[in-house]
Amino acid sequence: MAAKLSGSGGGKYTVEANSEINITPFVDIMLVLLIIFMVAAPLATVSVPVELPRAVAPPAPNPPKPIFISIQDDGDVFVGDFRTSVATLGEDLKAQIGTRSPDEERIFIRGDQKTRYGNFMQVMNALQDNGFYSVALVGNEQ
């Protein structure tokens, strides 16, 4: 016959509580994350070596008189406060800028939220056809 020598008592099949933390699932998760980052990190970097200059550009001066083109939701086009059409937009803009070069002039476009995309693209194409390549879109500040 066998005898139990410990003083804790209890039955033959009594198991004491184990207070150690099982870290195997934690290690498995960490290894999977490590593999993901090892695969994804080279994809997020640029491999072409370039020595970039310091960005210390002075702020751009405001244009002497900004030119606004407004497009209403029904397709009406305005240069400043004067109504125009897409066909005569280039001549009206050139008359407004005077002797300045069209490719150096920045045009600000204000479009209604409900303006059709086709109307907007007609204005953009008319600007490009007349040499106005610097265009800024105006929106509401939140």
Side-chain angles (χ1 to χ4, degrees):
M1 269 206 188
K4 191 167 186 178
L5 298 176
S6 68
S8 64
K12 178 167 127 176
Y13 298 105
T14 303
V15 179
E16 293 184 22
N18 184 2
S19 62
E20 295 178 12
I21 298 174
N22 185 5
I23 62 167
T24 304
F26 177 71
V27 171
D28 291 344
I29 292 171
M30 293 306 294
L31 288 174
V32 168
L33 289 174
L34 177 67
I35 291 170
I36 290 172
F37 285 120
M38 287 175 60
V39 170
L43 300 175
T45 61
V46 179
S47 61
V48 177
V50 175
E51 214 173 304
L52 296 174
R54 294 187 62 208
V56 192
N62 290 333
K65 183 180 178 191
I67 299 173
F68 289 97
I69 295 177
S70 301
I71 308 171
Q72 290 185 332
D73 58 349
D74 58 357
D76 290 340
V77 180
F78 292 82
V79 175
D81 293 333
F82 303 103
R83 182 185 302 260
T84 186
S85 67
V86 176
T88 61
L89 180 62
E91 292 87 23
D92 293 340
L93 283 174
K94 288 177 183 175
Q96 190 164 9
I97 65 169
T99 60
R100 297 181 301 227
S101 173
D103 59 345
E104 296 175 0
E105 192 69 33
R106 175 167 282 185
I107 307 297
F108 296 92
I109 297 181
R110 299 172 60 239
D112 191 273
Q113 192 171 11
K114 297 177 185 173
T115 300
R116 296 185 53 170
Y117 185 71
N119 295 338
F120 178 78
M121 286 308 298
Q122 286 177 346
V123 171
M124 292 293 291
N125 290 335
L127 289 174
Q128 285 184 344
D129 291 344
N130 289 286
F132 294 96
Y133 298 110
S134 182
V135 176
L137 302 179
V138 179
N140 283 334
E141 293 182 12
Q142 296 294 331

